[in-house]
Amino acid sequence: MIAYEIEIDGERYVTAGVEDWSILSLHVTASRAAEKLKVRDGYVECSVGGMTIPDSDDVRHHFRWVEAPLAIGSRVCIKVVEVVDADPPKNRYRSDSKIQENPFTKEEIREMRYRDYLELKAEFEGEARG
């Protein structure tokens, strides 16, 4: 199968590929968050994902691997390779309107809730209750 062999700053990040891919993509994203979302301001990351060809039930699936944070000066190297096996995706979920599957893993949902908690704690800490 075709896959992406990706290194970040000279270290192996992932060999990303699935047998039934129709789209395989790599994104390097920088985010400038709105004032309310300071947690992500200036955040830069590398992510890999895609979508499958339709299965026997005509259903496609999205898939993705773990995102990697990048810093100023980070070097991302991509090599297109032919492999027998690749690293399994972090998540794979349906892409249709009949059955909605959560695109986030339990660990990701917990992390998002924790970030929300920290933001709320910082906002309300020290306020008098009334």
Side-chain angles (χ1 to χ4, degrees):
M1 86 181 92
I2 291 177
Y4 295 151
E5 194 174 83
I6 303 165
E7 289 184 358
I8 298 176
D9 297 329
E11 293 191 23
R12 182 185 182 287
Y13 162 49
V14 71
T15 300
V18 295
E19 199 64 49
D20 58 346
W21 67 271
S22 69
I23 298 169
L24 182 60
S25 61
L26 168 82
H27 301 267
V28 175
T29 306
S31 141
R32 288 175 116 181
E35 192 173 313
K36 280 178 97 174
L37 304 173
K38 289 182 182 173
V39 171
R40 304 279 290 178
D41 195 24
Y43 187 76
V44 183
E45 71 180 3
C46 176
S47 61
V48 186
M51 184 180 285
T52 66
I53 56 176
D55 63 17
S56 59
D57 296 322
D58 202 33
V59 174
R60 293 175 182 260
H61 289 83
H62 290 281
F63 51 85
R64 62 188 169 80
W65 285 264
V66 174
E67 296 85 11
L70 301 175
I72 301 299
S74 286
R75 182 180 299 247
V76 179
C77 297
I78 306 125
K79 183 177 182 182
V80 179
V81 294
E82 182 79 31
V83 296
V84 174
D85 293 312
D87 298 328
K90 175 181 186 174
N91 200 10
R92 183 177 171 117
Y93 54 96
R94 287 178 69 122
S95 175
D96 66 82
S97 57
K98 292 179 187 173
I99 298 176
Q100 297 291 310
E101 292 183 345
N102 196 325
F104 301 105
T105 64
K106 289 178 184 177
E107 294 81 14
E108 289 172 316
I109 292 168
R110 181 171 169 74
E111 177 63 26
M112 288 185 280
R113 290 180 59 224
Y114 183 67
R115 275 192 256 145
D116 289 344
Y117 160 76
L118 292 176
E119 288 177 16
L120 288 167
K121 183 179 176 191
E123 180 180 342
F124 292 105
E125 219 167 49
E127 279 193 19
R129 291 186 155 210

PDB file of all heavy atoms in Angstrom, residues 64 66-67 89-91 102-115:
ATOM      1  N   ARG A  64      -7.418   8.899  11.145  1.00  0.00           N
ATOM      2  CA  ARG A  64      -6.366   9.869  11.452  1.00  0.00           C
ATOM      3  C   ARG A  64      -5.413   9.302  12.482  1.00  0.00           C
ATOM      4  O   ARG A  64      -5.746   8.396  13.227  1.00  0.00           O
ATOM      5  CB  ARG A  64      -6.945  11.186  11.919  1.00  0.00           C
ATOM      6  CG  ARG A  64      -7.739  11.114  13.184  1.00  0.00           C
ATOM      7  CD  ARG A  64      -8.446  12.441  13.484  1.00  0.00           C
ATOM      8  NE  ARG A  64      -9.393  12.263  14.554  1.00  0.00           N
ATOM      9  CZ  ARG A  64      -9.067  12.230  15.831  1.00  0.00           C
ATOM     10  NH1 ARG A  64      -7.811  12.407  16.207  1.00  0.00           N
ATOM     11  NH2 ARG A  64      -9.973  12.047  16.756  1.00  0.00           N
ATOM     12  N   VAL A  66      -2.183  10.362  15.444  1.00  0.00           N
ATOM     13  CA  VAL A  66      -1.923  11.329  16.507  1.00  0.00           C
ATOM     14  C   VAL A  66      -1.305  12.599  15.918  1.00  0.00           C
ATOM     15  O   VAL A  66      -0.415  12.531  15.071  1.00  0.00           O
ATOM     16  CB  VAL A  66      -0.961  10.713  17.551  1.00  0.00           C
ATOM     17  CG1 VAL A  66      -0.563  11.732  18.596  1.00  0.00           C
ATOM     18  CG2 VAL A  66      -1.596   9.505  18.206  1.00  0.00           C
ATOM     19  N   GLU A  67      -1.791  13.755  16.364  1.00  0.00           N
ATOM     20  CA  GLU A  67      -1.213  15.033  15.946  1.00  0.00           C
ATOM     21  C   GLU A  67       0.114  15.230  16.660  1.00  0.00           C
ATOM     22  O   GLU A  67       0.294  14.789  17.780  1.00  0.00           O
ATOM     23  CB  GLU A  67      -2.144  16.206  16.301  1.00  0.00           C
ATOM     24  CG  GLU A  67      -3.471  16.186  15.596  1.00  0.00           C
ATOM     25  CD  GLU A  67      -4.522  15.323  16.287  1.00  0.00           C
ATOM     26  OE1 GLU A  67      -4.289  14.893  17.437  1.00  0.00           O
ATOM     27  OE2 GLU A  67      -5.553  15.063  15.671  1.00  0.00           O
ATOM     28  N   PRO A  89      -4.160   3.759  12.471  1.00  0.00           N
ATOM     29  CA  PRO A  89      -4.661   5.097  12.804  1.00  0.00           C
ATOM     30  C   PRO A  89      -5.087   5.170  14.272  1.00  0.00           C
ATOM     31  O   PRO A  89      -5.468   4.159  14.864  1.00  0.00           O
ATOM     32  CB  PRO A  89      -5.877   5.283  11.897  1.00  0.00           C
ATOM     33  CG  PRO A  89      -5.857   4.176  10.921  1.00  0.00           C
ATOM     34  CD  PRO A  89      -4.980   3.098  11.467  1.00  0.00           C
ATOM     35  N   LYS A  90      -5.037   6.381  14.813  1.00  0.00           N
ATOM     36  CA  LYS A  90      -5.505   6.621  16.185  1.00  0.00           C
ATOM     37  C   LYS A  90      -7.008   6.418  16.255  1.00  0.00           C
ATOM     38  O   LYS A  90      -7.546   5.927  17.234  1.00  0.00           O
ATOM     39  CB  LYS A  90      -5.148   8.046  16.594  1.00  0.00           C
ATOM     40  CG  LYS A  90      -5.676   8.459  17.940  1.00  0.00           C
ATOM     41  CD  LYS A  90      -5.293   9.887  18.242  1.00  0.00           C
ATOM     42  CE  LYS A  90      -5.681  10.292  19.639  1.00  0.00           C
ATOM     43  NZ  LYS A  90      -5.178  11.624  19.946  1.00  0.00           N
ATOM     44  N   ASN A  91      -7.693   6.834  15.183  1.00  0.00           N
ATOM     45  CA  ASN A  91      -9.145   6.744  15.178  1.00  0.00           C
ATOM     46  C   ASN A  91      -9.631   6.527  13.755  1.00  0.00           C
ATOM     47  O   ASN A  91      -9.030   7.011  12.796  1.00  0.00           O
ATOM     48  CB  ASN A  91      -9.759   8.016  15.761  1.00  0.00           C
ATOM     49  CG  ASN A  91     -11.189   7.824  16.228  1.00  0.00           C
ATOM     50  OD1 ASN A  91     -11.677   6.707  16.298  1.00  0.00           O
ATOM     51  ND2 ASN A  91     -11.855   8.900  16.549  1.00  0.00           N
ATOM     52  N   ASN A 102     -18.580   9.467  16.823  1.00  0.00           N
ATOM     53  CA  ASN A 102     -17.766  10.541  17.368  1.00  0.00           C
ATOM     54  C   ASN A 102     -16.372  10.497  16.733  1.00  0.00           C
ATOM     55  O   ASN A 102     -15.731   9.452  16.734  1.00  0.00           O
ATOM     56  CB  ASN A 102     -17.662  10.392  18.887  1.00  0.00           C
ATOM     57  CG  ASN A 102     -17.177  11.646  19.548  1.00  0.00           C
ATOM     58  OD1 ASN A 102     -16.350  12.376  19.000  1.00  0.00           O
ATOM     59  ND2 ASN A 102     -17.679  11.915  20.730  1.00  0.00           N
ATOM     60  N   PRO A 103     -15.896  11.620  16.206  1.00  0.00           N
ATOM     61  CA  PRO A 103     -14.562  11.634  15.610  1.00  0.00           C
ATOM     62  C   PRO A 103     -13.431  11.631  16.638  1.00  0.00           C
ATOM     63  O   PRO A 103     -12.273  11.498  16.282  1.00  0.00           O
ATOM     64  CB  PRO A 103     -14.552  12.928  14.797  1.00  0.00           C
ATOM     65  CG  PRO A 103     -15.542  13.802  15.484  1.00  0.00           C
ATOM     66  CD  PRO A 103     -16.589  12.888  16.038  1.00  0.00           C
ATOM     67  N   PHE A 104     -13.775  11.776  17.915  1.00  0.00           N
ATOM     68  CA  PHE A 104     -12.753  11.855  18.958  1.00  0.00           C
ATOM     69  C   PHE A 104     -12.715  10.583  19.786  1.00  0.00           C
ATOM     70  O   PHE A 104     -13.741   9.972  20.066  1.00  0.00           O
ATOM     71  CB  PHE A 104     -13.007  13.056  19.876  1.00  0.00           C
ATOM     72  CG  PHE A 104     -13.019  14.358  19.146  1.00  0.00           C
ATOM     73  CD1 PHE A 104     -14.211  15.019  18.901  1.00  0.00           C
ATOM     74  CD2 PHE A 104     -11.840  14.916  18.670  1.00  0.00           C
ATOM     75  CE1 PHE A 104     -14.226  16.217  18.203  1.00  0.00           C
ATOM     76  CE2 PHE A 104     -11.849  16.104  17.974  1.00  0.00           C
ATOM     77  CZ  PHE A 104     -13.048  16.762  17.740  1.00  0.00           C
ATOM     78  N   THR A 105     -11.525  10.203  20.216  1.00  0.00           N
ATOM     79  CA  THR A 105     -11.375   9.048  21.103  1.00  0.00           C
ATOM     80  C   THR A 105     -11.766   9.465  22.521  1.00  0.00           C
ATOM     81  O   THR A 105     -11.855  10.660  22.842  1.00  0.00           O
ATOM     82  CB  THR A 105      -9.922   8.552  21.115  1.00  0.00           C
ATOM     83  OG1 THR A 105      -9.090   9.579  21.674  1.00  0.00           O
ATOM     84  CG2 THR A 105      -9.443   8.178  19.714  1.00  0.00           C
ATOM     85  N   LYS A 106     -11.950   8.488  23.392  1.00  0.00           N
ATOM     86  CA  LYS A 106     -12.273   8.781  24.796  1.00  0.00           C
ATOM     87  C   LYS A 106     -11.176   9.615  25.434  1.00  0.00           C
ATOM     88  O   LYS A 106     -11.450  10.537  26.204  1.00  0.00           O
ATOM     89  CB  LYS A 106     -12.471   7.485  25.581  1.00  0.00           C
ATOM     90  CG  LYS A 106     -13.734   6.756  25.217  1.00  0.00           C
ATOM     91  CD  LYS A 106     -13.852   5.454  25.990  1.00  0.00           C
ATOM     92  CE  LYS A 106     -15.087   4.697  25.542  1.00  0.00           C
ATOM     93  NZ  LYS A 106     -15.213   3.401  26.193  1.00  0.00           N
ATOM     94  N   GLU A 107      -9.919   9.324  25.095  1.00  0.00           N
ATOM     95  CA  GLU A 107      -8.794  10.068  25.661  1.00  0.00           C
ATOM     96  C   GLU A 107      -8.820  11.528  25.194  1.00  0.00           C
ATOM     97  O   GLU A 107      -8.538  12.443  25.972  1.00  0.00           O
ATOM     98  CB  GLU A 107      -7.465   9.420  25.265  1.00  0.00           C
ATOM     99  CG  GLU A 107      -7.238   8.042  25.850  1.00  0.00           C
ATOM    100  CD  GLU A 107      -7.947   6.921  25.070  1.00  0.00           C
ATOM    101  OE1 GLU A 107      -8.394   7.155  23.924  1.00  0.00           O
ATOM    102  OE2 GLU A 107      -8.076   5.819  25.623  1.00  0.00           O
ATOM    103  N   GLU A 108      -9.150  11.747  23.921  1.00  0.00           N
ATOM    104  CA  GLU A 108      -9.216  13.118  23.394  1.00  0.00           C
ATOM    105  C   GLU A 108     -10.356  13.900  24.046  1.00  0.00           C
ATOM    106  O   GLU A 108     -10.192  15.075  24.380  1.00  0.00           O
ATOM    107  CB  GLU A 108      -9.412  13.096  21.877  1.00  0.00           C
ATOM    108  CG  GLU A 108      -8.189  12.636  21.128  1.00  0.00           C
ATOM    109  CD  GLU A 108      -8.469  12.433  19.657  1.00  0.00           C
ATOM    110  OE1 GLU A 108      -9.519  11.842  19.303  1.00  0.00           O
ATOM    111  OE2 GLU A 108      -7.635  12.872  18.847  1.00  0.00           O
ATOM    112  N   ILE A 109     -11.493  13.252  24.229  1.00  0.00           N
ATOM    113  CA  ILE A 109     -12.624  13.915  24.885  1.00  0.00           C
ATOM    114  C   ILE A 109     -12.243  14.291  26.309  1.00  0.00           C
ATOM    115  O   ILE A 109     -12.509  15.402  26.761  1.00  0.00           O
ATOM    116  CB  ILE A 109     -13.873  13.013  24.863  1.00  0.00           C
ATOM    117  CG1 ILE A 109     -14.378  12.870  23.422  1.00  0.00           C
ATOM    118  CG2 ILE A 109     -14.965  13.570  25.771  1.00  0.00           C
ATOM    119  CD1 ILE A 109     -15.422  11.790  23.236  1.00  0.00           C
ATOM    120  N   ARG A 110     -11.578  13.391  27.005  1.00  0.00           N
ATOM    121  CA  ARG A 110     -11.136  13.686  28.376  1.00  0.00           C
ATOM    122  C   ARG A 110     -10.162  14.867  28.389  1.00  0.00           C
ATOM    123  O   ARG A 110     -10.264  15.757  29.229  1.00  0.00           O
ATOM    124  CB  ARG A 110     -10.498  12.455  28.999  1.00  0.00           C
ATOM    125  CG  ARG A 110     -10.049  12.676  30.431  1.00  0.00           C
ATOM    126  CD  ARG A 110      -9.635  11.362  31.080  1.00  0.00           C
ATOM    127  NE  ARG A 110      -8.963  11.552  32.332  1.00  0.00           N
ATOM    128  CZ  ARG A 110      -9.536  11.898  33.475  1.00  0.00           C
ATOM    129  NH1 ARG A 110     -10.836  12.103  33.518  1.00  0.00           N
ATOM    130  NH2 ARG A 110      -8.833  12.038  34.578  1.00  0.00           N
ATOM    131  N   GLU A 111      -9.224  14.899  27.445  1.00  0.00           N
ATOM    132  CA  GLU A 111      -8.255  15.996  27.364  1.00  0.00           C
ATOM    133  C   GLU A 111      -8.962  17.324  27.090  1.00  0.00           C
ATOM    134  O   GLU A 111      -8.638  18.351  27.692  1.00  0.00           O
ATOM    135  CB  GLU A 111      -7.215  15.702  26.281  1.00  0.00           C
ATOM    136  CG  GLU A 111      -6.217  16.827  26.068  1.00  0.00           C
ATOM    137  CD  GLU A 111      -5.344  17.125  27.276  1.00  0.00           C
ATOM    138  OE1 GLU A 111      -5.114  16.229  28.104  1.00  0.00           O
ATOM    139  OE2 GLU A 111      -4.891  18.291  27.387  1.00  0.00           O
ATOM    140  N   MET A 112      -9.949  17.329  26.191  1.00  0.00           N
ATOM    141  CA  MET A 112     -10.696  18.559  25.903  1.00  0.00           C
ATOM    142  C   MET A 112     -11.476  19.025  27.130  1.00  0.00           C
ATOM    143  O   MET A 112     -11.515  20.222  27.433  1.00  0.00           O
ATOM    144  CB  MET A 112     -11.644  18.345  24.718  1.00  0.00           C
ATOM    145  CG  MET A 112     -10.923  18.236  23.395  1.00  0.00           C
ATOM    146  SD  MET A 112     -12.047  18.121  21.982  1.00  0.00           S
ATOM    147  CE  MET A 112     -12.499  16.407  22.030  1.00  0.00           C
ATOM    148  N   ARG A 113     -12.090  18.075  27.837  1.00  0.00           N
ATOM    149  CA  ARG A 113     -12.817  18.428  29.054  1.00  0.00           C
ATOM    150  C   ARG A 113     -11.863  18.995  30.098  1.00  0.00           C
ATOM    151  O   ARG A 113     -12.181  19.955  30.805  1.00  0.00           O
ATOM    152  CB  ARG A 113     -13.553  17.209  29.605  1.00  0.00           C
ATOM    153  CG  ARG A 113     -14.732  16.793  28.735  1.00  0.00           C
ATOM    154  CD  ARG A 113     -15.472  15.575  29.257  1.00  0.00           C
ATOM    155  NE  ARG A 113     -15.978  15.838  30.591  1.00  0.00           N
ATOM    156  CZ  ARG A 113     -15.903  14.970  31.596  1.00  0.00           C
ATOM    157  NH1 ARG A 113     -15.354  13.799  31.430  1.00  0.00           N
ATOM    158  NH2 ARG A 113     -16.390  15.284  32.782  1.00  0.00           N
ATOM    159  N   TYR A 114     -10.665  18.426  30.202  1.00  0.00           N
ATOM    160  CA  TYR A 114      -9.671  18.908  31.161  1.00  0.00           C
ATOM    161  C   TYR A 114      -9.227  20.328  30.814  1.00  0.00           C
ATOM    162  O   TYR A 114      -9.123  21.189  31.692  1.00  0.00           O
ATOM    163  CB  TYR A 114      -8.470  17.955  31.208  1.00  0.00           C
ATOM    164  CG  TYR A 114      -7.439  18.357  32.237  1.00  0.00           C
ATOM    165  CD1 TYR A 114      -7.737  18.306  33.594  1.00  0.00           C
ATOM    166  CD2 TYR A 114      -6.187  18.797  31.848  1.00  0.00           C
ATOM    167  CE1 TYR A 114      -6.790  18.679  34.549  1.00  0.00           C
ATOM    168  CE2 TYR A 114      -5.238  19.165  32.795  1.00  0.00           C
ATOM    169  CZ  TYR A 114      -5.555  19.113  34.134  1.00  0.00           C
ATOM    170  OH  TYR A 114      -4.632  19.489  35.071  1.00  0.00           O
ATOM    171  N   ARG A 115      -9.006  20.594  29.523  1.00  0.00           N
ATOM    172  CA  ARG A 115      -8.645  21.959  29.110  1.00  0.00           C
ATOM    173  C   ARG A 115      -9.759  22.937  29.457  1.00  0.00           C
ATOM    174  O   ARG A 115      -9.506  24.047  29.917  1.00  0.00           O
ATOM    175  CB  ARG A 115      -8.338  22.014  27.617  1.00  0.00           C
ATOM    176  CG  ARG A 115      -6.902  21.648  27.316  1.00  0.00           C
ATOM    177  CD  ARG A 115      -6.554  21.993  25.897  1.00  0.00           C
ATOM    178  NE  ARG A 115      -6.536  20.761  25.137  1.00  0.00           N
ATOM    179  CZ  ARG A 115      -6.918  20.625  23.887  1.00  0.00           C
ATOM    180  NH1 ARG A 115      -7.354  21.645  23.212  1.00  0.00           N
ATOM    181  NH2 ARG A 115      -6.854  19.475  23.284  1.00  0.00           N
TER     182      ARG A 115
END
